[in-house]
Amino acid sequence: MTENKAVLEMEKKWRERWAKEDIYKFHPEKPNKFYLLEMFSYPSGAKLHLGHWWNYGLSDSYGRFKRLKGFEVFQPMGFDAFGLPAENYAIKTGIHPKDSTEHNMAVMENQLKNMGATFNWEYEVKTCEENYYRWTQWLFTKLYENGLAYQKYAPVNWCTSCNTTLANEQVVDGKCERCGSQVIRKDLTQWFFKITAYAEQLLEGLNRIDWPERTKTLQKNWIGKSVGSEVDFDLENGKKITVFTSRIDTLFGVSWLVLAPELPVVKELTKKEQKEAVEKYIKQTASKDEIERQNTTTEKTGVFTGSYAINPINGKKVPIYIADYVLGSYATGAVMGVAAHDERDFDFALKYNVPVIQVIKSKDGSLGTLPFTDYGMLMESAEFDGMTSEEAKSKITKKLETLGKGRFKTNYKFRDWSVSRQRYWGCPIPVVHCEKCGIVAVPEKDLPVKLPYNVDWTPDGRSPLSKNEEFMNCTCPKCGGKARRDPDTLDTFVCSTWYQFRYPSAKINDEMFSSEIVNKMCPVDKYVGGIEHATMHLLYSRFITKFLKDIGKIDFDEPFASLVHQGMILGSDGQKMSKSRGNTVSADDIISEYGSDALRLYLMFGFNYTDGGPWNDEGIKSIAKFIERFSRVVLSFGKAKLENETVYGKEEKELDRVRNYSISEVEKGMEVFAFNTSIARMMELVNAMNKYELNEIKNGFLMREIAKDFLIMIAPCAPHLSEELWEQIGMPFSIHNQKYPTWNKDKLVLDEIEIAVQIRSKIVVRIVVSTSATQDEIEAVAKENPKVKEALSTFVSHKTILIPNRLINFV
Ligand code: ANZ
Ligand code: ZN
């Protein structure tokens, strides 16, 4: 590898000039703001890798394009600075998370600055700083005041070897990501945010945002809305069991009830002779996770409890079973078994010998093959016979309502968001536990509850903060008596729910953010980040945005108006880049050999931004050649003598057409992150410029204009080099303050076009014809061509078929 000193120095020179003159400064008072945001990153100490260039570099190019289009672009950057990696690093090395994080942020900030991006560092946000997490805590207290933050005893992921809880994303295939040990479930009292209260609004809002369809679908499925009914089945002991069903039209076909084994009522219902089998089954179930239990390919198992319940619609007595495919955490944890119309139930019925009662005919009136669930006609009861399923669902539920034994009900699959972490490096939970007053939120004037520096983070199963007496002991803000702090910290996803509002208001410290500023600047106009966040960060921040609107902090309810997911750059072997595979590509090496503009241009040209793809060493080489070519031709065009201004013949017209076409198409591509097509159009323009150079008499004025247009178009993609060439052709600093060139529709019209000539559908030759030529005229031109003449000498053509602008066929 050779270091390309000249290029590196040129790039550095311009970066220094941009910084010195502060040309990317954001002016909030100017109209036409455009808020461009990339998901901020965790401050790792490693060097910037290709992924950073891909994500941040290319969206920076998009932002630069928007600036040229006349927008006042706001593109802030910051760090998602709390989190497990720093704490795990501390456990391994003894280096304090605060120290390593601060170091890493400084290193990374410096590297990001060296990218030559237009980030507005004045508005930097670091979530681990007191003046940030103070407002994360304030947000918590507001949620608490509004009944949306609550404590519950619930299971967490627990690593048996590290002796600590793990976040869901730290559990890989049921094992601890750090040590590979088995992760078990452990019950602990934890804090939750009631995101489920916003289920409907989260669904509805999806219709109003410009997000990729697949991301919206992921959120929709995650929320999992299910419309149905609840039915109460009476028990022999006078109590009742409520089931949730989306198919109440099958109520006449119920053969048994199935409860989730973990439901507390199971113990009461179990008869003596079934006790042993039931208890054994409950134990078995406890070792399975929900995903395993919902696996439809494994055989259904279950155990009879010995008890019966009464079907309220027909008084039939049905047995009660427990089975692990019914989940205790969804709906009521009890289902009615309808073997004839539910596949899972059908398998179960065959195995346990319960009757299969068909109550629905298929639409053609036949009984069909069991089990079938398509909507047909109800039968069996005179009252509902012949109704469609939809009619029957409504009528049956209404009837149950009058009997006091059922009701309409909508359930959602997603759960409230568990936010407590028994870890150190996070935002402390701003409540105290008082013996007299119970849980008391820390009042705003006492925030932040500071994260102490001195703690023992050895993983021994206790929250590190619980071992710091100085932190734990406090006075109750309500009664002034002795109280204890909460020893847990918040999930870092809480910190990132609202950072997009902090940025534009980053200079204000006496409130979470200025509503006036945020209402003006937000929602974010374009958000760029990975799809892996679809059902976490992207859902959480939508929830918190809706909440902030409800408490009057903002007047809009969706944080990100438009969203783009970048794909992923793979190693040249098509696999995810990783050190262990040895397929990583070092961004630094590429830059030192070719310059950062070359890296950007290659990433823009070689891949579809939303797809990504495998790295290719040849690709960067051919981009280097393209750079050489356009540098030469732009200088030649840009330095052309201003003469022959009035010469505007066929060649000038064609060159001008390519220029106008290029301007319009590059713009279209840039707008939708289709950078590869934009670069391809610029390459075509360079070809056309090359061709024009061969002309004898050249319109120097036109050449200069085209050189300038080309440089402005490529400026977002090669920010340093375009600035350099701009200067070399004698233009004043800075190219990045120019306006994107305009194009003229009239100039796009082609005068002449090449079409194919076919004889009996086989191409013989290509000819150039005027775009306004009639079929007869085209035929005449074709017949003059020697090859066509020859072909037609042995074949009598009866007619010609013309496909305009493409071909003429002699048949
Ligand atoms: C009777 C029935 C008959 C059902 C039929 C389906 C088809 P969605 O739409 O996904 O919400 N169910 C209810 N609670 C459950 C739980 N805790 N664990 C597992 N399954 C549960 O599905 C609703 C259906 O899932 C309900 O409708 C119930 O089975 C089952 F031909 O009731 B159904
Ligand atoms: Zn108190």
Side-chain angles (χ1 to χ4, degrees), residues 548-563:
L548 288 171
K549 171 162 191 220
D550 284 351
I551 62 169
K553 272 301 275 183
I554 48 179
D555 62 12
F556 57 93
D557 76 340
E558 285 291 342
F560 313 115
S562 178
L563 172 69

Side-chain angles (χ1 to χ4, degrees), residues 432-440 475-483:
V432 307
H433 301 266
C434 167
E435 265 171 42
K436 257 199 260 155
C437 316
I439 293 172
V440 180
T475 50
C476 168
K478 216 174 188 175
C479 70
K482 264 189 166 174

Side-chain angles (χ1 to χ4, degrees), residues 76-79 105 109 120-126 503 506:
M77 188 43 82
F79 296 101
M105 287 193 291
E109 187 180 312
N120 302 108
W121 287 104
E122 267 182 81
Y123 297 85
E124 184 174 11
V125 161
K126 298 171 177 170
Y503 277 130

Side-chain angles (χ1 to χ4, degrees), residues 711-732:
L711 281 180
I712 297 173
M713 273 195 276
I714 207 153
C717 321
H720 307 86
L721 184 55
S722 57
E723 187 82 282
E724 176 70 23
L725 294 171
W726 186 252
E727 185 186 62
Q728 287 188 24
I729 65 169
M731 298 302 293

Side-chain angles (χ1 to χ4, degrees), residues 81-84 87 97 127-128 133 137 421 423-429 449-452 465 488-492 495:
F82 274 136
L84 294 161
E87 188 166 343
T127 59
C128 67
Y133 75 69
Q137 293 178 340
R421 296 288 176 267
R423 303 294 300 239
Y424 164 63
W425 189 234
C427 171
I429 295 177
V449 173
K450 286 187 193 169
L451 184 67
L465 290 178
D488 291 350
T489 53
L490 289 172
D491 181 3
T492 52
C495 309

Side-chain angles (χ1 to χ4, degrees), residues 252 379-387:
F252 288 98
M379 54 188 214
E380 160 102 359
S381 125
E383 201 177 342
F384 303 102
D385 205 8
M387 282 181 187

Side-chain angles (χ1 to χ4, degrees), residues 305-520:
T305 60
S307 290
Y308 292 85
I310 307 294
N311 186 339
I313 203 79
N314 58 13
K316 265 192 196 163
K317 203 168 132 181
V318 293
I320 305 173
Y321 279 73
I322 56 170
D324 64 9
Y325 69 84
V326 179
L327 303 178
S329 54
Y330 180 57
T332 64
V335 310
M336 54 188 221
V338 185
H341 303 292
D342 181 296
E343 203 136 2
R344 286 181 310 187
D345 292 349
F346 185 66
D347 294 346
F348 195 86
L350 293 188
K351 196 164 163 197
Y352 295 97
N353 226 348
V354 269
V356 177
I357 309 165
Q358 184 172 3
V359 290
I360 298 191
K361 283 185 282 213
S362 66
K363 280 193 187 110
D364 64 9
S366 75
L367 286 182
T369 344
L370 292 173
F372 67 89
T373 47
D374 59 339
Y375 288 176
M377 299 297 165
L378 197 72
M379 54 188 214
E380 160 102 359
S381 125
E383 201 177 342
F384 303 102
D385 205 8
M387 282 181 187
T388 66
S389 283
E390 288 310 313
E391 282 165 355
K393 280 180 186 175
S394 153
K395 288 270 160 59
I396 294 177
T397 308
K398 281 185 186 146
K399 166 134 191 197
L400 290 173
E401 266 178 344
T402 58
L403 295 173
K405 298 220 179 289
R407 62 215 65 91
F408 291 100
K409 172 80 185 175
T410 298
N411 274 313
Y412 302 90
K413 292 253 154 61
F414 76 152
R415 313 282 156 78
D416 281 341
W417 173 17
S418 120
V419 295
S420 350
R421 296 288 176 267
Q422 293 70 36
R423 303 294 300 239
Y424 164 63
W425 189 234
C427 171
I429 295 177
V431 301
V432 307
H433 301 266
C434 167
E435 265 171 42
K436 257 199 260 155
C437 316
I439 293 172
V440 180
V442 177
E444 181 173 340
K445 66 172 177 39
D446 295 339
L447 296 178
V449 173
K450 286 187 193 169
L451 184 67
Y453 186 83
N454 290 320
V455 289
D456 170 10
W457 56 67
T458 322
D460 59 5
R462 289 177 295 157
S463 294
L465 290 178
S466 72
K467 294 178 262 179
N468 180 322
E469 281 303 312
E470 208 182 314
F471 172 80
M472 289 303 289
N473 290 322
C474 61
T475 50
C476 168
K478 216 174 188 175
C479 70
K482 264 189 166 174
R484 301 275 287 170
R485 293 204 183 277
D486 200 291
D488 291 350
T489 53
L490 289 172
D491 181 3
T492 52
F493 278 118
V494 178
C495 309
S496 56
T497 54
W498 67 280
Y499 79 118
Q500 66 278 1
F501 304 142
R502 181 71 183 176
Y503 277 130
S505 183
K507 296 171 181 173
I508 285 165
N509 277 321
D510 56 356
E511 55 179 327
M512 187 182 196
F513 53 76
S514 145
S515 299
E516 194 193 328
I517 293 176
V518 171
N519 284 334
K520 210 172 110 196

